Amino acid sequence: MIPLSLLIMSLLLSCGGAILCLLLKHREEDIRLGGSGVGIAAALAGLGAGLTAIGAGQPVVLDAAGPYPFAHFVLRLDPLAGLMIAVISLLSLVAWIYGFAYVREYAGRGVGAMGFFMNAFIASMMLVVAADNAFWFLIFFEMMSLASYFLVIFDQDDEAVGAGFLYFLVAHGGSVLIMAAFFLMANRAGSFDFAAFRAHPLPAPLDSVAFLLAFIGFGAKAGMIPLHIWLPRAHPAAPSHASALMSGVMIKIGVFGIVKVGIDLLGASAGPAMLGWGLLVLAFGAVSSVLGVVYALAEHDIKKLLAYHSVENIGIILLGVGTGMIGMALHQPVLAVLGLMAGLYHLLNHAVFKGLLFLGAGSTIFRMHTKDMEEMGGLARTMPWTALSFLVGALAISAIPPLNGFVSEWYTYQALFAAALDGTPLVKFAAPIAAVMLALTGALAVMCFVKAYGIMFAGAPRSHHAEEAREAPAAMVAGMAVLAVACVALGLLAPLMAPVMGRIAAATIGTAPVTLAVGTTLLPGDAQQATLSTPLIAILLIAMAFLPIALKTAFAAKRGGDRKVAAPWAAGYLPDHHMPASAGSFAQPIRMFFAPLYTMRRSIAGRWTGIALGFERVVTLARRTEPLADRSIVAPIAGAVDASGKWLQIIQAGDFRIYCLYIVAALIALLALAV
């Protein structure tokens, strides 16, 4: 019961931190100190809960009576839930450290409300992954969506409010589909407990209907294409430490939901349908990975660029999950464990390096007061620690060895190769295509982050703010340093991490663990395909990095006397600040090559704009024709509506703080009902 005790402690600390932030709303310095301290303590307790749940191997369950007979309050910590709670806690720990200095950017703008919603957001994510009853799962899922919505609209400008509204619509549309899937399973099981769902599986074809509903609903939360429309707008609008949590953790709740429904709740009895599910997940993963990075290349807004890369990496995770489901359908436990392990390993790795990149972007925005990369440049000289941290994250997301992104993508390749060799004819056709698309994704990701790092940190300053920039505060640098070290550690310590991730995957599938590492050598399930020695790669890459330094040192004395300083050659023209490569010019060849994709995106965006304009025209026409209506009929109705509206204004006063209190009251009421 140690994992559950630590989880409850973390949740209580988060609730206490949320209330503290509201009580100290006029004392922002106390909120900054006390709120961050309580948040760090909650994150450490949550990290302990997740790690002990992974180590326990067997699920730990808390079952208490709920307010209704069908709403048992059940929390279940199995290895998969433990992994998710550990990832949530790690990112929240870093976010609280980073926010200790970052929230000064929002002084006088409701730091207390920000702290409240951050605590509610983190606690609700933990409860979602631990809930083992459909009723409470949906309640906590809704709490998570609402808390993150208020973080998205926190700036209260037009872009933030518009992004929040779009996110609100997509999130709740997905919730409706998830609810429908749970209702199908509950109708069969006679209970909303997930244990009953496992014991009373749906017959065909209802199981496929339930999976499709859940896949689309959770896919909207994950941001997979074509349900990603909210993500590139919502993530940039939120505060940077909240963006790190949303992109690093929240969208993984969508992947967790797909695994939960497709493998945990329906997988044991899916039969032949599982092969179709796996191929569907594989297809969406391949498309999302390529299109995500293609759209990222065209962006000049650094946070939008990172948001599109979240779409890309969700696609890579789904490649692993889909391959694992294919292995289950083909009754190949090695392939099933290898594929799911690759997806879960990349889930962890993406949380770390994407959190690092969002915090690095937040540090540059903190000093530059712009998200436009074209206004940056030369920041490596004035912000060296931020530049180094961002570089580590850029190398990791580009799958450069020996960092963590390389290891999980290597396992994904091995899973796809295994499926191509031992699968059915349809699998042998689909798996190589997915592997090629993953390779294309990797190449484009490298190009994208060469652009991002080069434009932001290399070259000469492109604006006055870039010239005057200075390093981020120590707390922000410390938060980035923790994740940068984690990127290196998760790569170099892959022989230790891979068996742990493999045991989580095997426990989720319900099969025996698979050998994934021997000593310092990584194995893709067996030793017949390929092996990888991470220490050897690390030594070679470190030596390669120091080779230019050694050569420069060796020839420095000889060339020192002949060195001349002059303006760079510019084909006979005088050099000026317009000549260096820009973000737009760097991506121009890719924009030309993938022009049809960008045209399609603009066309879809135009259709959404047309729908919005059409709605506005209908409203305008209704207002113009209103005087022509029969006032003898309309006037009494309008008077009644007006009177009721004035009465409702008592609770709808427009005060943001009052609305926060309503949420607190709702949370207290739910907790009271649970107790």
Side-chain angles (χ1 to χ4, degrees), residues 92-281:
S92 61
L93 172 65
V94 173
W96 285 119
I97 295 172
Y98 184 91
F100 182 79
Y102 177 74
V103 295
R104 287 197 176 109
E105 183 80 359
Y106 292 86
R109 296 162 57 188
V111 173
M114 179 188 291
F116 170 80
F117 289 121
M118 283 285 289
N119 278 288
F121 181 41
I122 294 166
S124 59
M125 284 193 291
M126 289 189 180
L127 287 167
V128 166
V129 300
D132 207 50
N133 177 279
F135 173 81
W136 291 106
F137 185 99
L138 292 169
I139 291 292
F140 298 138
F141 195 86
E142 182 68 14
M143 288 170 57
M144 176 185 70
S145 298
L146 286 174
S148 54
Y149 164 76
F150 283 112
L151 289 171
V152 169
I153 67 169
F154 193 81
D155 278 339
Q156 291 294 297
D157 55 26
D158 291 341
E159 176 59 27
V161 172
F165 182 69
L166 180 60
Y167 168 55
F168 188 86
L169 290 180
V170 175
H172 286 79
S175 297
V176 170
L177 296 178
I178 297 167
M179 189 184 303
F182 284 163
F183 281 161
L184 282 176
M185 290 185 274
N187 185 57
R188 170 73 174 181
S191 170
F192 280 90
D193 290 345
F194 287 164
F197 292 179
R198 299 183 187 98
H200 301 86
L202 284 171
L206 283 179
D207 56 350
S208 293
V209 174
F211 175 76
L212 286 175
L213 290 170
F215 178 67
I216 298 172
F218 285 117
K221 178 62 71 176
M224 69 180 187
I225 287 178
L227 306 173
H228 69 293
I229 55 173
W230 64 272
L231 197 150
R233 293 189 62 189
H235 287 197
S240 292
H241 61 327
S243 296
L245 283 172
M246 291 179 68
S247 187
V249 181
M250 186 192 74
I251 60 174
K252 309 305 190 321
I253 302 293
V255 176
F256 169 83
I258 293 171
V259 173
K260 187 79 172 177
V261 173
I263 295 178
D264 184 21
L265 302 182
L266 296 175
S269 59
M274 177 68 79
L275 180 60
W277 302 354
L279 289 171
L280 178 68
V281 174

Side-chain angles (χ1 to χ4, degrees), residues 458-486:
R462 299 168 184 266
S463 66
H464 175 71
H465 284 298
E467 293 177 352
E468 300 296 327
R470 62 187 188 278
E471 186 56 85
M476 296 169 68
V477 172
M480 292 185 288
V482 171
L483 293 181
V485 171

Side-chain angles (χ1 to χ4, degrees), residues 304-316:
K304 280 191 176 181
L305 180 146
L306 295 177
Y308 273 117
H309 272 287
S310 293
V311 177
E312 170 220 339
N313 281 275
I314 285 295
I316 295 173

Side-chain angles (χ1 to χ4, degrees), residues 22-110:
L22 289 181
L23 294 177
L24 300 177
K25 59 184 178 181
H26 297 303
R27 298 158 60 182
E28 293 189 348
E29 189 64 18
D30 292 338
I31 291 174
R32 191 175 68 84
L33 297 173
S36 296
V38 174
I40 290 171
L44 290 173
L47 190 59
L51 295 178
T52 53
I54 293 172
Q58 296 297 321
V60 182
V61 179
L62 170 67
D63 191 343
Y68 307 107
F70 60 84
H72 300 146
F73 188 76
V74 186
L75 297 181
R76 183 176 188 265
L77 286 185
D78 54 19
L80 178 61
L83 172 65
M84 294 300 300
I85 288 174
V87 173
I88 293 167
S89 300
L90 175 61
L91 264 291
S92 61
L93 172 65
V94 173
W96 285 119
I97 295 172
Y98 184 91
F100 182 79
Y102 177 74
V103 295
R104 287 197 176 109
E105 183 80 359
Y106 292 86
R109 296 162 57 188

